[in-house]
Amino acid sequence: MPRSGILSLFSTPDPRKAYDDEEEDSDSSQNGSEQMKGAVHSHLEESIRPFIDLIDTLRSVGIQKDLALPTIAVIGDQSSGKSSVLEALSGVALPRGSGIVTRCPLELRLKKVTAGVKWKAVLSYRIKIIEFVDSAFVAGPIKASKLANEKVADPTYDVKRFEFGDPSLVEEHVAAAQNELAGRGVGICDELITLEVMSPDVCDLTLIDLPGIARVPVKGQPQDIGNQIKNLIMKFIEKQETINLVVVPCNLDIATTEALKMAQEVDPDGRRTVAILTKPDLIDKGTEKNILAIVHNKVIPLRKGYTMVKCRGQQQIDENIPLEEATQIERDFFQNHDHFRDLLNEDKATIKCLAVKLTQNLVDHIKKSLPQLNQQIKKKLWDVKNELKEYETGPPKDLKGAKQFLIETLKRFNDQINSLSSGEQMSEENLFVQLRAEYKKWNDHLNSTKTSFSHSKEMSQKNRGRELVGFSNYKLFESVLQKHVATLKKPAIELLYIIKDIITTHLTGVVSECFRNYSVLQSTAKDKINNIQLTQQEKTEKRILEQFELENMVYTQDPIYLKFLTDITNEKFSEDQLPFFDKNCKYSKMLESYYEIVVQRMADQLPMMISFFMLKQTAELLSTDMLSLLDGAEVRELLFEDSDVSIRRKDLRERLDRLSAAQEEISTFSTD
Ligand code: GDP
Ligand code: MG
């Protein structure tokens, strides 16, 4: 069914009016119709197109994958009239019918070209570019985007060109594109289809058409189709950078339409929501007042206000009423309408008026977003460059180069391990800070085990042998001490395990960092660490137990013992005045004094032992062990890169390209 939609919608007068920087609330402009009729100065034209072009170019670079771009998203319940509005705006016949027709986001770029030329449309998705050119099309002074030209020249793109004068054929190809992306039938997908329409009869505008909100699944649709569609819509409208264009039919209860509810959810203050009321010719008589209240922002207030439009009804479509005639019919409709007539003067009715408002809103929005966009691109670019550095240096292809690469990688690893073990690394998770904390706990524990010994069972008089009161034997003294010291064994071994875990974590941290891209090297190093740690742990455990055996001997230099005894009893003892049999000097005091010495020895000895074997020796052994990898030299195997590394690198490079291109666009834009 050909719809001769050659669009003369906006031929005269040019619909654009002065862009007003401060004017956000288009609702308040009462004198707009005058502005609309007024001639548009060429410098104003120039002030609109470049902004929209810039964003279009950024989008074709794919930058929306990295950050949100200012855009207009069209949402509405099914059959609310979205396609009709877009069709009227663009003059291009879009797929239409019942059920979900828009199944992928469709980016509609409208570009006004100098009057006198015919139209051209370019449909692009994935690597396909399909051009529809009117044979009489003469390229006007539009800046064909650099990127689009590159794509057309790029042999990886599949470029088709049709020459004919009927825009309605575009519809078929959009449908075919959707079939290709979302599968035949009724599914949806979030891949973008772009349709660029250049014509003297369109306004300068880019908007994204989204699938209509479905209430009940139709045959063959997944049960959760409603949610799928809502999620897709959400992705667009929740972004602060999106102007939400909500299409609601006048003949329904507006407040309950799902689309408006969703827009309210993401934009409760109505700052970035624009509403279009469709089908004013289908309302019930008597409801006009209510509808006017809505248009006048009295029911659900929206900063950017409401516009009422009347598109072609099904009958007019069936009768092949051309779009330009429909525009006249629309105007007549409002002029002859008893209630809605005033909306024309208030700038709140007709497609034409809508187009002007949208362009204004969009450009306003873009201008506001630009500085931030620029910042974001700079920051992302910096991040990507930095991250890429980690991925950039892959091993050289030739064996000799690869071996050299391996040597350097291992050397770098060893340096890191050495600085870890010598405590040169300064960071918040510094290994030595953690170790010191554990050693302090050990020290605290030792201190907590100090006791007066006077209540100890062995020392009680009940355990007396044949000795007189006040006498005690040295064997008893020894055995009390030995038993008490033995209780330290368990916590000592526990300390060893804790320290081992901490050190292992740090060592494997260095492994992951240094061998990030090489899983074989990683697992080899981790195996080595485990083996070495295991041997070292056994060794340390043995040494700790030996230390406990040494402690069983009960020994210290006399002067040291006497010093502690003096401290504890507050009496002065020296070697020629030994406390032998001194009745003031209780055995328990003597025990306490000696235990102080044990505590001091243990507090230093164990940490030194553990650190020496578990860290220092381990690090040395690991370094030598890693270097020995060079002897066997399964270089290729060791430097094997995981596929996700190459995927990540490719991804980062693509992002880098996109962001660089975007930055270039923005910087040339601002210096233009
Ligand atoms: P979509 O599902 O939101 O894209 O809705 P469509 O644009 O396909 O419109 C649904 C039906 O409503 C179609 O039959 C249109 O012709 C009809 N329609 C859209 N706008 C108007 C209007 O302003 N007046 C009348 N009478 N019918 C309209
Ligand atoms: Mg539709």
Side-chain angles (χ1 to χ4, degrees):
M1 176 188 63
R3 279 177 235 157
S4 56
I6 305 284
L7 11 108
S8 53
L9 253 184
F10 304 108
S11 13
T12 48
D14 191 301
R16 286 166 297 180
K17 66 174 177 184
Y19 170 77
D20 182 350
D21 217 339
E22 298 312 313
E23 173 68 281
E24 191 185 350
D25 190 353
S26 7
D27 188 49
S28 63
S29 61
Q30 297 291 324
N31 57 348
S33 57
E34 278 315 303
Q35 284 182 25
M36 275 177 67
K37 282 182 213 134
V40 174
H41 305 296
S42 59
H43 74 269
L44 287 175
E45 267 179 52
E46 277 157 23
S47 74
I48 289 173
R49 190 66 248 167
F51 285 97
I52 299 177
D53 274 342
L54 174 68
I55 301 302
D56 288 350
T57 312
L58 294 182
R59 200 175 286 113
S60 36
V61 172
I63 204 75
Q64 72 276 16
K65 290 178 199 152
D66 306 290
L67 41 86
L69 288 174
T71 185
I72 299 180
V74 187
I75 63 168
D77 298 8
Q78 260 177 33
S79 292
S80 55
K82 288 181 308 303
S83 304
S84 306
V85 171
L86 291 175
E87 206 175 80
L89 283 173
S90 64
V92 172
L94 294 169
R96 191 146 45 148
S98 58
I100 35 170
V101 181
T102 308
R103 300 194 288 125
C104 309
L106 175 75
E107 183 197 27
L108 196 59
R109 299 179 183 175
L110 308 179
K111 294 189 172 181
K112 188 176 183 65
V113 291
T114 321
V117 297
K118 294 264 181 168
W119 70 280
K120 172 180 172 177
V122 183
L123 178 69
S124 52
Y125 58 101
R126 287 193 181 156
I127 55 153
K128 292 216 169 122
I129 298 176
I130 306 165
E131 293 186 335
F132 308 87
V133 196
D134 187 281
S135 32
F137 180 80
V138 185
I142 37 166
K143 180 185 153 201
S145 69
K146 199 171 70 198
L147 227 102
N149 287 340
E150 275 168 17
K151 276 186 185 168
V152 172
D154 187 338
T156 49
Y157 284 86
D158 172 10
V159 184
K160 275 203 188 79
R161 195 179 159 100
F162 294 92
E163 285 199 16
F164 50 74
D166 187 358
S168 68
L169 278 155
V170 174
E171 176 182 350
E172 276 173 32
H173 285 90
V174 173
Q178 293 194 357
N179 282 341
E180 203 175 318
L181 300 183
R184 268 181 197 286
V186 282
I188 62 163
C189 95
D190 58 8
E191 264 189 82
L192 195 68
I193 299 177
T194 298
L195 178 62
E196 199 169 294
V197 178
M198 285 160 256
S199 156
D201 303 327
V202 294
C203 55
D204 281 312
L205 192 61
T206 297
L207 13 84
I208 296 178
D209 186 19
L210 294 169
I213 302 164
R215 266 163 245 114
V216 272
V218 298
K219 191 163 165 276
Q221 271 177 346
Q223 274 307 307
D224 67 336
I225 188 77
N227 281 339
Q228 280 187 29
I229 294 173
K230 277 191 193 171
N231 289 341
L232 175 60
I233 292 176
M234 261 308 172
K235 264 200 225 164
F236 284 84
I237 67 170
E238 71 187 356
K239 292 185 181 131
Q240 292 305 313
E241 289 78 4
T242 306
I243 295 177
N244 302 331
L245 184 61
V246 185
V247 181
V248 265
C250 290
N251 59 346
L252 285 185
D253 181 6
I254 290 164
T256 64
T257 53
E258 197 60 41
L260 201 54
K261 270 198 241 164
M262 286 181 75
Q264 278 183 302
E265 216 173 283
V266 292
D267 176 31
D269 300 334
R271 287 181 160 274
R272 51 184 183 90
T273 304
V274 184
I276 305 180
L277 299 171
T278 56
K279 310 188 186 179
D281 51 326
L282 298 182
I283 57 170
D284 278 347
K285 281 246 172 303
T287 57
E288 293 91 349
K289 281 219 166 60
N290 300 343
I291 292 165
L292 275 177
I294 290 168
V295 183
H296 287 132
N297 235 348
K298 286 177 187 147
V299 182
I300 303 169
L302 300 174
R303 289 278 295 272
K304 293 183 186 297
Y306 292 79
T307 308
M308 190 185 283
V309 300
K310 190 200 113 30
C311 298
R312 297 183 302 176
Q314 197 53 54
Q315 199 190 345
Q316 289 166 317
I317 294 168
D318 294 344
E319 287 167 7
N320 277 346
I321 305 268
L323 279 167
E324 64 264 42
E325 201 180 320
T327 312
Q328 192 51 49
I329 295 175
E330 184 190 32
R331 204 162 176 85
D332 293 345
F333 168 80
F334 284 109
Q335 256 157 4
N336 298 328
H337 201 285
D338 291 341
H339 296 88
F340 298 154
R341 187 179 297 130
D342 290 343
L343 293 179
L344 281 178
N345 294 329
E346 292 167 19
D347 249 2
K348 290 189 180 7
T350 73
I351 285 282
K352 217 179 211 178
C353 167
L354 173 71
V356 174
K357 265 193 207 172
L358 290 180
T359 304
Q360 268 180 11
N361 275 326
L362 182 60
V363 172
D364 178 15
H365 204 52
I366 294 173
K367 280 188 180 172
K368 274 187 197 154
S369 321
L370 270 187
Q372 201 193 345
L373 204 59
N374 198 6
Q375 281 302 316
Q376 283 178 335
I377 291 177
K378 271 199 190 126
K379 176 163 188 314
K380 299 241 161 168
L381 200 56
W382 197 82
D383 288 348
V384 168
K385 274 184 186 161
N386 265 354
E387 198 180 342
L388 203 53
K389 265 187 214 151
E390 313 272 347
Y391 286 90
E392 202 65 277
T393 44
K397 295 266 175 290
D398 64 299
L399 194 63
K400 201 163 158 246
K403 182 145 188 181
Q404 190 54 37
F405 183 86
L406 181 62
I407 293 174
E408 275 155 28
T409 310
L410 292 178
K411 258 171 79 182
R412 215 164 337 122
F413 173 76
N414 281 354
D415 287 347
Q416 291 246 21
I417 291 290
N418 284 336
S419 68
L420 178 77
S421 83
S422 58
E424 281 163 24
Q425 246 185 7
M426 292 307 280
S427 73
E428 259 174 56
E429 308 94 51
N430 188 316
L431 169 62
F432 279 75
V433 173
Q434 277 175 285
L435 294 189
R436 209 174 309 119
E438 291 305 326
Y439 291 149
K440 174 156 188 328
K441 279 188 213 158
W442 167 241
N443 196 25
D444 291 346
H445 175 73
L446 287 173
N447 284 330
S448 74
T449 59
K450 288 179 191 170
T451 146
S452 79
F453 290 98
S454 57
H455 303 295
S456 90
K457 243 177 33 210
E458 287 83 352
M459 295 303 285
S460 135
Q461 288 298 316
K462 283 185 199 144
N463 281 358
R464 262 174 70 194
R466 60 181 189 87
E467 60 284 343
L468 294 174
V469 179
F471 288 93
S472 188
N473 76 29
Y474 187 66
K475 270 216 152 34
L476 184 61
F477 177 92
E478 244 182 8
S479 100
V480 170
L481 260 173
Q482 283 164 350
K483 275 193 186 154
H484 197 61
V485 172
T487 61
L488 296 176
K489 245 188 227 176
K490 198 169 159 258
I493 299 298
E494 276 167 9
L495 175 70
L496 168 65
Y497 293 165
I498 291 172
I499 301 290
K500 180 200 162 197
D501 284 348
I502 294 176
I503 293 175
T504 309
T505 310
H506 280 265
L507 292 175
T508 47
V510 176
V511 169
S512 315
E513 199 192 307
C514 289
F515 305 145
R516 185 197 296 257
N517 303 344
Y518 310 102
S519 58
V520 179
L521 261 183
Q522 269 192 40
S523 56
T524 312
K526 282 181 186 164
D527 281 352
K528 286 190 187 303
I529 290 175
N530 282 341
N531 289 338
I532 296 173
Q533 288 281 68
L534 219 61
T535 327
Q536 290 301 103
Q537 182 189 315
E538 271 172 30
K539 209 183 207 176
T540 320
E541 204 167 325
K542 202 164 151 245
R543 291 298 293 266
I544 291 175
L545 296 178
E546 275 169 13
Q547 182 67 28
F548 277 95
E549 279 181 34
L550 291 179
E551 289 299 340
N552 274 344
M553 296 201 321
V554 183
Y555 172 78
T556 188
Q557 296 280 356
D558 290 346
I560 302 176
Y561 175 62
L562 288 172
K563 181 183 169 293
F564 276 94
L565 204 54
T566 306
D567 285 353
I568 281 177
T569 58
N570 287 327
E571 280 177 55
K572 180 108 186 70
F573 296 107
S574 66
E575 278 185 75
D576 24 84
Q577 195 215 337
L578 288 172
F580 204 56
F581 294 133
D582 186 317
K583 66 177 184 310
N584 290 329
C585 181
K586 298 271 173 357
Y587 282 105
S588 59
K589 291 282 180 227
M590 295 157 82
L591 277 166
E592 272 172 54
S593 311
Y594 184 76
Y595 193 65
E596 279 289 343
I597 295 165
V598 174
V599 163
Q600 280 225 338
R601 272 203 297 250
M602 286 285 190
D604 288 342
Q605 207 80 306
L606 257 76
M608 282 170 80
M609 257 189 242
I610 297 176
S611 286
F612 179 76
F613 291 117
M614 298 310 292
L615 182 60
K616 192 164 181 299
Q617 269 199 354
T618 299
E620 283 163 10
L621 290 168
L622 182 61
S623 292
T624 339
D625 231 16
M626 288 307 285
L627 283 182
S628 75
L629 283 178
L630 291 170
D631 303 338
E634 291 297 340
V635 180
R636 290 256 177 263
E637 197 181 309
L638 287 170
L639 291 177
F640 174 77
E641 271 192 309
D642 303 342
S643 62
D644 54 339
V645 170
S646 38
I647 289 170
R648 181 80 186 131
R649 185 189 286 132
K650 185 165 165 278
D651 179 53
L652 281 168
R653 283 191 182 144
E654 278 169 12
R655 286 184 64 188
L656 183 71
D657 288 348
R658 282 202 296 269
L659 289 160
S660 309
Q663 199 186 34
E664 204 190 309
E665 285 294 331
I666 283 210
S667 59
T668 46
F669 180 81
S670 44
T671 53
D672 269 353

